[in-house]
């Protein structure tokens, strides 16, 4: 079986399970050949008190120059936490230079949660992401990101109706399919999918604990499963199950991310 070759662009956080340290193992376990453009190297993710960050924009330009000479092409692009505005124009250049026929572009905006931007970001980052998502086939915002992108005031404990109104506003800004992650309904958590002007939903039991990095596990598994099956619903359901299993396997005192390694081991078995 020929596997899809994808390019993922996101940071490498040396400690804390997120971005590339999640994307690579998850995509590999799902059988997807994965190439990387590491956008920045951080000492650890930015939910820790201190972090260092080396922006790799300049080296990414060198890498891309060589890739052009080698005529590399990718069947899909999966973008997560990039780190700076410059990287968004590089991402657009990647799409135009390195797309195989029919290549899909999947973007997780990955700039905020719980109504706030991650510490390294500001409105300029949101503006640039607003432009970048115009190139996407699928975007995977959570409610916070959808609110920032669409210019809507965030509501805590938002209803499904509110989330849908934000998604509709966002859909005026991009033709991409919108998969809102981490939506809530009563005791359930799931995704609201907006495709062909129609909503569909995947719900599962909401576990009482929240951990950092679950969005990256979701986006990675979603990407792999979507490329394989072409089904948005199936991709959401498979990815949601992996996140739930990872949370169940995590000790509450573990502050680095979730124990997705344990869940992956079971998939491989
Ligand atoms: O999980 C998203 C993420 C990725 N990379 C870095 C982060 C975060 C969220 O805070 O800080 C560096």
């Amino acid at each position: 079986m020929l596997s899809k070759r994808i390019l993922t662009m996101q940071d490498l956080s040396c400690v804390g399970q997120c971005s590339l340290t999640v994307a690579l193992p998850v995509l590999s376990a799902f059988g997807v050949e994965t190439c990387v453009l590491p956008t920045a190297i951080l000492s650890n993710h930015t939910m820790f008190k201190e972090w260092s960050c080396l922006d790799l924009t300049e080296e990414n330009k060198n890498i891309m120059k060589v890739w052009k000479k080698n005529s590399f092409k990718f069947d899909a692009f999966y973008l997560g936490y990039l780190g700076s505005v410059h990287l968004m124009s590089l991402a657009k250049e990647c799409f135009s230079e390195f797309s195989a026929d029919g290549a899909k572009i999947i973007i997780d905006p990955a700039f905020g949660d719980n109504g706030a931007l991650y510490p390294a970001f500001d409105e300029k980052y949101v503006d640039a992401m607003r432009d970048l998502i115009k190139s996407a086939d699928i975007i995977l915002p959570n409610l916070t990101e959808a609110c920032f992108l669409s210019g809507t005031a965030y509501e805590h404990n938002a209803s499904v109706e509110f989330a849908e109104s934000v998604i509709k506003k966002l859909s005026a800004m991009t033709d991409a399919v919108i998969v809102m992650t981490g939506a809530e309904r009563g005791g359930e958590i799931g995704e609201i999918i907006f495709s062909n002007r129609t909503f569909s939903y995947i719900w599962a039991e909401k576990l009482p604990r929240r951990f950092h990095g679950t969005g990256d596990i979701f986006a990675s598994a979603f990407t792999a499963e979507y490329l394989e099956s072409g089904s948005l619903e199936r991709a959401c359901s498979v990815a949601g199950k992996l996140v739930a299993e990872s949370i169940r396997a995590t000790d509450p005192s573990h502050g680095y991310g979730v124990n997705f390694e344990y869940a992956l081991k079971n998939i491989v078995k």
Side-chain angles (χ1 to χ4, degrees):
M1 185 182 73
L2 274 184
S3 129
K4 303 269 187 211
R5 174 176 301 129
I6 87 158
L7 175 65
T8 185
M9 282 185 77
Q10 43 190 321
D11 76 279
L12 176 61
S13 283
C14 299
V15 174
Q17 292 130 309
C18 68
S19 39
L20 279 183
T21 59
V22 165
L24 272 175
V26 170
L27 289 161
S28 299
F30 278 77
V32 176
E33 179 189 337
T34 308
C35 306
V36 300
L37 201 51
T39 56
I41 299 183
L42 287 88
S43 52
N44 43 264
H45 64 58
T46 62
M47 294 292 115
F48 289 98
K49 199 168 66 203
E50 300 280 341
W51 74 88
S52 66
C53 177
L54 173 66
D55 183 296
L56 294 179
T57 303
E58 289 311 310
E59 186 52 24
N60 279 196
K61 286 182 189 164
N62 289 333
I63 291 171
M64 287 166 58
K65 256 189 224 151
V66 178
W67 283 2
K68 275 184 213 172
K69 291 188 190 151
N70 284 328
S71 309
F72 291 152
K73 299 284 175 206
F74 303 101
D75 301 304
F77 300 87
Y78 155 38
L79 277 63
Y81 186 111
L82 299 178
S84 75
V85 165
H86 316 289
L87 290 155
M88 312 242 189
S89 41
L90 279 193
K92 283 202 268 185
E93 202 180 319
C94 269
F95 305 152
S96 60
E97 290 292 339
F98 306 122
S99 285
D101 276 354
K104 292 273 182 246
I105 299 172
I106 299 176
I107 300 180
D108 177 355
F111 61 65
D113 205 0
N114 291 316
L117 297 176
Y118 292 144
F121 298 141
D122 56 18
E123 280 292 341
K124 283 205 183 101
Y125 194 84
V126 179
D127 285 344
M129 185 58 75
R130 210 173 273 135
D131 178 53
L132 188 62
I133 59 170
K134 290 188 189 134
S135 309
D137 293 292
I138 302 177
I139 57 172
L140 302 168
N142 57 29
L143 180 63
T144 300
E145 291 153 352
C147 283
F148 272 101
L149 289 168
S150 65
T152 312
Y154 179 80
E155 283 187 12
H156 288 276
N157 305 315
S159 64
V160 171
E161 290 69 32
F162 175 75
E164 286 177 350
S165 70
V166 178
I167 290 171
K168 279 208 172 137
K169 261 170 101 174
L170 189 53
S171 73
M173 306 164 72
T174 172
D175 291 334
V177 166
I178 300 173
V179 176
M180 181 182 279
T181 59
E184 296 195 19
R185 178 183 77 164
E188 294 181 308
I189 188 156
E191 295 75 46
I192 303 179
I193 301 169
F194 192 59
S195 174
N196 294 323
R197 315 274 336 141
T198 308
F199 285 107
S200 58
Y201 313 84
I202 301 291
W203 299 111
E205 178 198 356
K206 179 172 187 277
L207 299 173
R209 295 180 284 144
R210 276 181 83 105
F211 289 95
H212 195 63
T214 49
D216 298 342
I217 298 171
F218 182 91
S220 304
F222 172 93
T223 298
E225 185 57 41
Y226 179 75
L227 292 179
E228 173 75 24
S229 69
S231 160
L232 295 164
E233 284 78 11
R234 188 173 154 73
C236 284
S237 147
V238 166
K241 282 194 185 116
L242 179 63
V243 170
E245 253 184 75
S246 305
I247 293 176
R248 284 200 182 93
T250 304
D251 184 300
S253 65
H254 181 81
Y256 292 5
V258 286
N259 191 353
F260 73 95
E261 295 87 347
Y262 179 86
L264 275 189
K265 207 163 90 180
N266 286 341
I267 289 185
V268 172
K269 270 190 200 152

